[in-house]
Coordinates of all heavy atoms in Angstrom, one line a residue:
I1 N 95.1 83.3 66.0 CA 93.8 83.4 66.8 C 92.7 82.6 66.2 O 92.0 81.9 66.9 CB 93.5 84.9 67.1 CG1 94.5 85.6 67.9 CG2 92.1 84.9 67.8 CD1 94.3 87.1 68.1
A2 N 92.6 82.7 64.9 CA 91.5 82.1 64.1 C 91.6 80.6 64.3 O 90.6 79.9 64.5 CB 91.6 82.4 62.7
L3 N 92.8 80.0 64.2 CA 93.0 78.6 64.4 C 92.7 78.1 65.8 O 92.1 77.0 66.0 CB 94.5 78.2 64.0 CG 94.8 78.3 62.5 CD1 96.2 77.9 62.3 CD2 93.9 77.3 61.7
L4 N 93.1 78.9 66.8 CA 92.7 78.6 68.2 C 91.2 78.6 68.3 O 90.6 77.7 69.0 CB 93.4 79.6 69.1 CG 94.9 79.3 69.4 CD1 95.4 80.5 70.3 CD2 95.1 78.0 70.0
C5 N 90.5 79.6 67.8 CA 89.0 79.6 67.8 C 88.4 78.4 67.2 O 87.4 77.8 67.7 CB 88.5 80.9 67.2 SG 88.8 82.3 68.3
L6 N 89.0 78.0 66.0 CA 88.5 76.8 65.3 C 88.7 75.6 66.2 O 87.8 74.7 66.3 CB 89.2 76.7 64.0 CG 88.8 75.5 63.1 CD1 87.3 75.6 62.7 CD2 89.7 75.4 61.9
L7 N 89.9 75.5 66.8 CA 90.1 74.3 67.7 C 89.2 74.3 68.9 O 88.6 73.3 69.2 CB 91.6 74.4 68.2 CG 92.0 73.3 69.2 CD1 91.9 72.0 68.5 CD2 93.4 73.6 69.7
I8 N 88.9 75.5 69.5 CA 88.0 75.6 70.6 C 86.6 75.2 70.1 O 85.9 74.4 70.8 CB 88.0 77.0 71.2 CG1 89.3 77.3 71.9 CG2 86.8 77.3 72.1 CD1 89.5 78.7 72.2
A9 N 86.1 75.6 69.0 CA 84.8 75.3 68.4 C 84.8 73.7 68.2 O 83.7 73.1 68.6 CB 84.6 76.0 67.1
A10 N 85.8 73.2 67.7 CA 85.8 71.7 67.4 C 85.7 70.9 68.7 O 85.0 70.0 68.9 CB 87.0 71.3 66.6
I11 N 86.5 71.4 69.7 CA 86.5 70.7 71.1 C 85.1 70.7 71.6 O 84.6 69.7 72.1 CB 87.5 71.3 72.0 CG1 88.9 71.0 71.5 CG2 87.3 70.8 73.4 CD1 90.1 71.8 72.2
F12 N 84.5 71.9 71.6 CA 83.2 72.0 72.3 C 82.1 71.3 71.4 O 81.1 70.8 71.9 CB 82.8 73.4 72.6 CG 83.4 73.9 73.8 CD1 84.6 74.5 73.9 CD2 82.7 73.7 75.0 CE1 85.2 74.9 75.1 CE2 83.3 74.1 76.2 CZ 84.5 74.7 76.2
L13 N 82.3 71.2 70.1 CA 81.4 70.5 69.2 C 81.4 69.0 69.6 O 80.3 68.4 69.8 CB 81.7 70.6 67.8 CG 81.1 69.6 66.8 CD1 79.6 69.8 66.8 CD2 81.7 69.8 65.4
F14 N 82.6 68.4 69.8 CA 82.7 67.0 70.1 C 82.3 66.7 71.6 O 81.8 65.6 71.8 CB 84.1 66.5 69.8 CG 84.3 66.4 68.3 CD1 85.2 67.2 67.7 CD2 83.7 65.4 67.6 CE1 85.4 67.1 66.3 CE2 83.8 65.3 66.2 CZ 84.7 66.2 65.6
I15 N 82.5 67.7 72.5 CA 82.1 67.5 73.9 C 80.5 67.5 74.0 O 80.0 66.6 74.6 CB 82.7 68.5 74.8 CG1 84.2 68.3 74.9 CG2 82.0 68.5 76.2 CD1 84.9 69.4 75.7
T16 N 79.9 68.5 73.4 CA 78.5 68.7 73.5 C 77.6 68.1 72.4 O 76.4 68.0 72.5 CB 78.1 70.2 73.6 OG1 78.5 70.9 72.4 CG2 78.9 70.8 74.8
K17 N 78.3 67.9 71.3 CA 77.6 67.4 70.1 C 76.6 68.4 69.5 O 75.7 68.1 68.8 CB 76.9 66.1 70.3 CG 77.9 64.9 70.7 CD 77.2 63.7 71.1 CE 78.1 62.5 71.5 NZ 79.2 62.8 72.3
R18 N 76.9 69.6 69.8 CA 76.0 70.8 69.3 C 76.9 71.8 68.7 O 77.8 72.5 69.4 CB 75.2 71.3 70.5 CG 74.1 70.4 70.9 CD 73.5 70.7 72.2 NE 72.4 69.8 72.5 CZ 72.6 68.7 73.1 NH1 73.8 68.2 73.4 NH2 71.5 67.9 73.4
M19 N 76.7 72.1 67.4 CA 77.6 73.1 66.7 C 77.3 74.5 67.3 O 78.3 75.3 67.4 CB 77.2 73.1 65.3 CG 78.1 74.0 64.4 SD 79.8 73.3 64.5 CE 80.8 74.6 64.0
S20 N 76.1 74.8 67.8 CA 75.9 76.1 68.3 C 76.7 76.4 69.6 O 77.2 77.5 69.8 CB 74.4 76.3 68.7 OG 74.0 75.3 69.6
V21 N 77.0 75.4 70.4 CA 77.8 75.6 71.6 C 79.3 75.9 71.2 O 79.9 76.8 71.7 CB 77.8 74.3 72.5 CG1 78.7 74.5 73.7 CG2 76.3 74.1 73.1
G22 N 79.8 75.1 70.2 CA 81.1 75.3 69.7 C 81.3 76.7 69.2 O 82.2 77.4 69.4
T23 N 80.3 77.2 68.4 CA 80.3 78.5 67.8 C 80.3 79.6 68.8 O 81.0 80.6 68.7 CB 79.2 78.7 66.8 OG1 79.2 77.6 65.8 CG2 79.3 80.0 66.1
I24 N 79.4 79.5 69.8 CA 79.2 80.5 70.8 C 80.5 80.6 71.7 O 81.0 81.6 71.9 CB 77.9 80.2 71.6 CG1 76.7 80.3 70.8 CG2 77.9 81.0 72.9 CD1 75.4 79.7 71.4
I25 N 81.0 79.4 72.1 CA 82.2 79.5 72.9 C 83.4 80.0 72.2 O 84.2 80.8 72.7 CB 82.5 78.0 73.5 CG1 81.4 77.5 74.4 CG2 83.9 78.0 74.2 CD1 81.1 78.4 75.6
A26 N 83.5 79.7 70.9 CA 84.6 80.2 70.0 C 84.5 81.7 69.9 O 85.5 82.4 69.9 CB 84.6 79.5 68.7
A27 N 83.3 82.2 69.7 CA 83.0 83.6 69.6 C 83.4 84.4 70.8 O 84.0 85.4 70.8 CB 81.6 83.9 69.2
I28 N 83.0 83.8 72.0 CA 83.4 84.4 73.3 C 84.9 84.4 73.5 O 85.5 85.3 74.0 CB 82.7 83.7 74.4 CG1 81.2 84.0 74.3 CG2 83.2 84.1 75.8 CD1 80.3 83.1 75.2
S29 N 85.6 83.3 73.0 CA 87.0 83.1 73.1 C 87.8 84.1 72.3 O 88.9 84.5 72.7 CB 87.4 81.7 72.8 OG 86.8 80.8 73.6
F30 N 87.2 84.5 71.2 CA 88.0 85.3 70.2 C 88.5 86.7 70.9 O 89.7 86.9 70.9 CB 87.1 85.7 69.0 CG 87.7 86.4 67.9 CD1 89.1 86.4 67.7 CD2 87.0 87.2 67.0 CE1 89.7 87.2 66.7 CE2 87.5 87.9 66.0 CZ 88.9 87.9 65.8
P31 N 87.6 87.5 71.5 CA 88.1 88.7 72.2 C 89.1 88.4 73.3 O 90.0 89.1 73.6 CB 86.9 89.5 72.6 CG 85.8 88.5 72.6 CD 86.1 87.4 71.6
V32 N 88.8 87.3 74.1 CA 89.7 87.0 75.2 C 91.1 86.6 74.6 O 92.1 87.1 75.2 CB 89.1 85.8 76.0 CG1 90.1 85.3 77.1 CG2 87.8 86.1 76.6
L33 N 91.2 85.8 73.6 CA 92.4 85.5 73.0 C 93.1 86.7 72.4 O 94.4 86.9 72.5 CB 92.3 84.4 71.9 CG 91.9 83.0 72.4 CD1 91.5 82.2 71.2 CD2 93.0 82.4 73.1
A34 N 92.3 87.6 71.9 CA 92.9 88.8 71.2 C 93.5 89.7 72.3 O 94.5 90.3 72.1 CB 91.8 89.6 70.5
I35 N 93.0 89.7 73.5 CA 93.6 90.5 74.6 C 95.0 90.1 74.9 O 95.9 90.9 75.1 CB 92.8 90.4 75.9 CG1 91.5 91.1 75.8 CG2 93.6 90.9 77.2 CD1 90.4 90.8 76.9
F36 N 95.3 88.8 74.8 CA 96.6 88.3 75.1 C 97.5 88.2 73.8 O 98.8 88.2 74.0 CB 96.5 86.8 75.7 CG 95.8 86.9 77.0 CD1 94.5 86.4 77.1 CD2 96.5 87.3 78.1 CE1 93.9 86.5 78.3 CE2 95.8 87.4 79.3 CZ 94.5 86.9 79.5
M37 N 96.9 88.1 72.6 CA 97.7 87.8 71.4 C 97.9 89.0 70.5 O 98.9 89.2 69.8 CB 97.2 86.6 70.7 CG 97.2 85.3 71.5 SD 96.5 83.9 70.7 CE 97.9 83.5 69.6
D38 N 96.9 89.8 70.4 CA 96.9 90.9 69.4 C 95.9 92.0 69.9 O 94.7 92.0 69.5 CB 96.6 90.5 68.0 CG 96.8 91.6 67.0 OD1 97.1 92.8 67.4 OD2 96.8 91.2 65.8
K39 N 96.4 92.9 70.7 CA 95.4 93.9 71.3 C 94.7 94.8 70.3 O 93.7 95.3 70.5 CB 96.2 94.8 72.3 CG 96.7 94.0 73.5 CD 97.1 95.0 74.6 CE 97.7 94.3 75.8 NZ 97.0 93.1 76.3
D40 N 95.2 94.9 69.0 CA 94.6 95.7 68.0 C 93.3 95.0 67.5 O 92.4 95.6 66.9 CB 95.5 95.8 66.8 CG 96.7 96.7 67.1 OD1 96.6 97.6 68.0 OD2 97.7 96.6 66.4
L41 N 93.1 93.7 67.8 CA 92.0 93.0 67.4 C 90.8 92.9 68.4 O 89.8 92.4 68.2 CB 92.3 91.5 67.0 CG 93.1 91.3 65.7 CD1 93.4 89.8 65.6 CD2 92.3 91.8 64.5
V42 N 91.1 93.5 69.6 CA 90.1 93.4 70.7 C 88.7 94.0 70.3 O 87.7 93.3 70.5 CB 90.6 94.0 72.0 CG1 89.6 94.0 73.1 CG2 91.8 93.2 72.5
I43 N 88.7 95.2 69.8 CA 87.5 95.8 69.5 C 86.7 95.1 68.3 O 85.5 94.8 68.5 CB 87.7 97.3 69.1 CG1 88.3 98.1 70.3 CG2 86.4 98.0 68.7 CD1 87.4 98.1 71.6
P44 N 87.4 94.8 67.2 CA 86.7 94.0 66.2 C 86.2 92.6 66.7 O 85.2 92.2 66.3 CB 87.7 93.9 65.1 CG 88.7 94.9 65.3 CD 88.7 95.2 66.8
A45 N 87.1 92.0 67.6 CA 86.7 90.7 68.1 C 85.5 90.8 69.0 O 84.6 89.9 68.9 CB 87.9 90.1 68.9
L46 N 85.4 91.8 69.8 CA 84.2 92.0 70.6 C 83.0 92.3 69.7 O 81.9 91.7 70.0 CB 84.4 93.2 71.5 CG 85.2 93.0 72.8 CD1 85.6 94.3 73.5 CD2 84.5 92.1 73.7
A47 N 83.1 93.0 68.7 CA 82.0 93.3 67.8 C 81.5 92.0 67.2 O 80.3 91.7 67.1 CB 82.4 94.3 66.7
I48 N 82.4 91.2 66.7 CA 82.1 89.9 66.1 C 81.4 89.0 67.1 O 80.4 88.3 66.8 CB 83.3 89.2 65.5 CG1 83.8 90.0 64.2 CG2 83.0 87.8 65.1 CD1 85.1 89.6 63.7
A49 N 81.9 88.9 68.3 CA 81.4 88.1 69.4 C 79.9 88.5 69.7 O 79.0 87.7 69.8 CB 82.2 88.2 70.6
V50 N 79.7 89.8 69.7 CA 78.3 90.3 70.0 C 77.4 90.0 68.9 O 76.3 89.5 69.1 CB 78.4 91.9 70.2 CG1 76.9 92.4 70.2 CG2 79.1 92.2 71.5
I51 N 77.8 90.1 67.6 CA 77.0 89.7 66.5 C 76.7 88.2 66.5 O 75.5 87.8 66.3 CB 77.7 90.1 65.2 CG1 77.7 91.6 65.0 CG2 77.0 89.4 64.0 CD1 78.7 92.1 63.9
V52 N 77.6 87.4 66.8 CA 77.4 85.9 66.9 C 76.4 85.6 68.0 O 75.5 84.8 67.8 CB 78.7 85.2 67.1 CG1 78.5 83.7 67.4 CG2 79.6 85.3 65.9
L53 N 76.6 86.2 69.2 CA 75.7 86.0 70.2 C 74.2 86.4 69.9 O 73.3 85.8 70.3 CB 76.2 86.6 71.6 CG 77.4 86.1 72.1 CD1 78.0 86.9 73.3 CD2 77.2 84.6 72.6
I54 N 74.1 87.6 69.2 CA 72.8 88.0 68.8 C 72.2 87.1 67.9 O 71.0 86.7 68.0 CB 72.8 89.5 68.3 CG1 73.2 90.5 69.4 CG2 71.6 89.9 67.6 CD1 73.5 91.9 68.9
K55 N 73.0 86.7 66.9 CA 72.4 85.8 65.9 C 72.1 84.4 66.4 O 71.2 83.7 65.9 CB 73.5 85.6 64.7 CG 73.6 86.8 63.8 CD 72.4 87.0 63.1 CE 72.6 87.8 61.9 NZ 71.4 88.0 61.1
H56 N 72.8 84.0 67.5 CA 72.5 82.7 68.1 C 71.5 82.8 69.3 O 71.4 81.8 70.1 CB 73.8 82.1 68.6 CG 74.6 81.4 67.5 ND1 75.3 82.1 66.6 CD2 74.7 80.1 67.1 CE1 75.9 81.2 65.8 NE2 75.5 80.0 66.0
G57 N 70.8 83.9 69.4 CA 69.8 84.0 70.5 C 68.9 82.9 70.6 O 68.6 82.4 71.7
S58 N 68.3 82.5 69.5 CA 67.3 81.3 69.6 C 68.0 80.0 69.9 O 67.4 79.2 70.7 CB 66.6 81.2 68.2 OG 67.5 80.9 67.2
N59 N 69.2 79.9 69.5 CA 70.0 78.6 69.9 C 70.3 78.7 71.4 O 70.2 77.6 72.1 CB 71.3 78.6 69.2 CG 71.1 78.4 67.7 OD1 70.8 79.4 67.0 ND2 71.3 77.3 67.1
I60 N 70.6 79.8 71.9 CA 70.9 80.0 73.4 C 69.7 79.7 74.2 O 69.7 78.9 75.2 CB 71.5 81.4 73.7 CG1 72.8 81.6 73.0 CG2 71.6 81.6 75.2 CD1 73.4 83.0 73.0
A61 N 68.5 80.2 73.7 CA 67.2 79.9 74.4 C 66.9 78.4 74.4 O 66.5 77.8 75.4 CB 66.1 80.7 73.7
R62 N 67.2 77.7 73.3 CA 67.0 76.3 73.2 C 67.9 75.5 74.1 O 67.6 74.5 74.7 CB 67.0 75.8 71.8 CG 65.8 76.1 70.9 CD 65.7 75.3 69.6 NE 66.9 75.6 68.8 CZ 66.9 76.6 67.9 NH1 65.9 77.4 67.7 NH2 68.0 76.7 67.2
L63 N 69.2 76.0 74.1 CA 70.2 75.3 75.0 C 69.7 75.4 76.5 O 69.8 74.4 77.2 CB 71.5 76.0 74.8 CG 72.3 75.6 73.5 CD1 73.4 76.5 73.3 CD2 72.8 74.1 73.6
I64 N 69.3 76.6 76.9 CA 68.8 76.8 78.3 C 67.7 75.9 78.6 O 67.6 75.3 79.7 CB 68.5 78.3 78.5 CG1 69.8 79.1 78.5 CG2 67.8 78.5 79.8 CD1 69.6 80.6 78.5
K65 N 66.8 75.7 77.6 CA 65.6 74.8 77.8 C 65.9 73.4 77.7 O 65.1 72.5 77.9 CB 64.5 75.2 76.8 CG 63.9 76.5 77.0 CD 62.8 76.8 75.9 CE 62.3 78.2 75.9 NZ 61.4 78.5 74.8
G66 N 67.1 73.1 77.2 CA 67.5 71.7 76.9 C 66.9 71.1 75.6 O 66.8 69.9 75.5
E67 N 66.5 72.0 74.7 CA 65.8 71.6 73.5 C 66.7 71.7 72.2 O 66.2 71.4 71.1 CB 64.5 72.4 73.3 CG 63.6 72.3 74.4 CD 62.4 73.3 74.3 OE1 62.4 74.2 73.5 OE2 61.5 73.1 75.1
E68 N 67.9 72.1 72.4 CA 68.8 72.2 71.2 C 69.2 70.8 70.7 O 69.7 70.0 71.4 CB 70.0 73.0 71.5 CG 71.0 73.2 70.4 CD 70.5 74.3 69.4 OE1 69.4 74.8 69.5 OE2 71.3 74.5 68.4
P69 N 68.9 70.5 69.4 CA 69.1 69.2 68.9 C 70.6 68.8 68.8 O 71.4 69.7 68.6 CB 68.4 69.1 67.6 CG 68.3 70.5 67.2 CD 68.2 71.3 68.4
V70 N 70.9 67.5 68.9 CA 72.2 67.1 68.6 C 72.5 67.1 67.1 O 71.6 66.8 66.4 CB 72.4 65.6 69.2 CG1 73.7 65.0 68.8 CG2 72.2 65.7 70.7
M71 N 73.7 67.3 66.7 CA 74.0 67.3 65.3 C 73.7 65.9 64.7 O 74.0 64.9 65.4 CB 75.4 67.7 65.0 CG 75.6 69.2 65.1 SD 77.3 69.6 64.5 CE 77.3 69.1 62.9
R72 N 73.2 65.8 63.5 CA 72.9 64.5 62.9 C 74.1 63.6 62.9 O 73.9 62.4 63.0 CB 72.5 64.7 61.4 CG 71.0 65.0 61.4 CD 70.6 65.0 59.9 NE 69.2 64.7 59.9 CZ 68.5 64.2 59.0 NH1 69.1 63.8 57.9 NH2 67.2 64.0 59.2
I73 N 75.3 64.1 62.6 CA 76.4 63.1 62.6 C 76.7 62.4 63.9 O 77.3 61.4 63.9 CB 77.7 63.8 62.1 CG1 78.2 64.9 63.1 CG2 77.6 64.3 60.7 CD1 79.5 65.5 62.7
F74 N 76.1 62.9 65.0 CA 76.3 62.4 66.3 C 75.1 61.5 66.7 O 75.1 60.9 67.7 CB 76.6 63.4 67.4 CG 77.9 64.1 67.1 CD1 77.9 65.4 66.7 CD2 79.1 63.4 67.3 CE1 79.1 66.1 66.5 CE2 80.3 64.1 67.1 CZ 80.3 65.4 66.7
N75 N 74.0 61.6 65.9 CA 72.8 60.9 66.2 C 72.9 59.5 65.8 O 73.0 59.1 64.7 CB 71.6 61.6 65.5 CG 70.3 61.1 66.0 OD1 70.2 60.0 66.6 ND2 69.2 61.8 65.6
K76 N 72.9 58.6 66.8 CA 73.1 57.2 66.6 C 72.0 56.5 65.7 O 72.3 55.5 65.0 CB 73.3 56.4 67.9 CG 74.5 56.8 68.6 CD 74.7 56.0 69.8 CE 75.8 56.6 70.7 NZ 77.1 56.2 70.6
R77 N 70.8 57.1 65.8 CA 69.7 56.5 65.0 C 69.8 56.8 63.5 O 69.2 56.1 62.7 CB 68.4 57.0 65.5 CG 68.1 56.5 66.9 CD 66.7 57.0 67.4 NE 66.5 58.4 66.9 CZ 65.6 59.1 67.5 NH1 64.8 58.7 68.4 NH2 65.5 60.4 67.0
G78 N 70.6 57.9 63.2 CA 70.8 58.2 61.8 C 69.6 59.0 61.2 O 69.5 59.2 60.0
N79 N 68.7 59.5 62.1 CA 67.5 60.2 61.6 C 67.9 61.7 61.5 O 68.5 62.3 62.2 CB 66.3 60.1 62.6 CG 65.9 58.6 62.6 OD1 66.2 57.8 61.7 ND2 65.1 58.3 63.6

């Protein structure tokens, strides 16, 4: 499950060029994947997803406003 979440995070990082999007989507995916792959992990996965979403609250607000910056490695100007 962890490798799938890492893959999901990487895919969304490269699509959106924002690490916060990859992290948030991977965190949401964790309990969903746990439902299908290891039902014993569903409750801990939900707890982790909630913690990640709470910790990324400011990132989510910036994403909604369109103000979340692109990661430096994707910034063509190199600034």
Side-chain angles (χ1 to χ4, degrees):
I1 295 175
L3 289 176
L4 285 174
C5 287
L6 181 61
L7 178 63
I8 290 167
I11 290 168
F12 279 89
L13 166 63
F14 287 109
I15 290 171
T16 66
K17 299 176 178 44
R18 290 166 177 83
M19 188 66 199
S20 59
V21 174
T23 304
I24 292 164
I25 298 297
I28 293 168
S29 300
F30 185 26
V32 174
L33 291 169
I35 290 169
F36 296 104
M37 298 178 77
D38 189 350
K39 294 197 185 314
D40 292 336
L41 287 178
V42 173
I43 300 300
L46 281 170
I48 291 169
V50 169
I51 291 168
V52 169
L53 291 173
I54 290 169
K55 289 292 200 177
H56 279 80
S58 60
N59 299 76
I60 293 168
R62 283 193 301 271
L63 285 165
I64 291 169
K65 293 178 189 176
E67 298 172 352
E68 181 74 357
V70 173
M71 282 186 63
R72 273 189 158 206
I73 62 171
F74 296 109
N75 190 343
K76 295 187 193 267
R77 295 184 315 199
N79 295 345

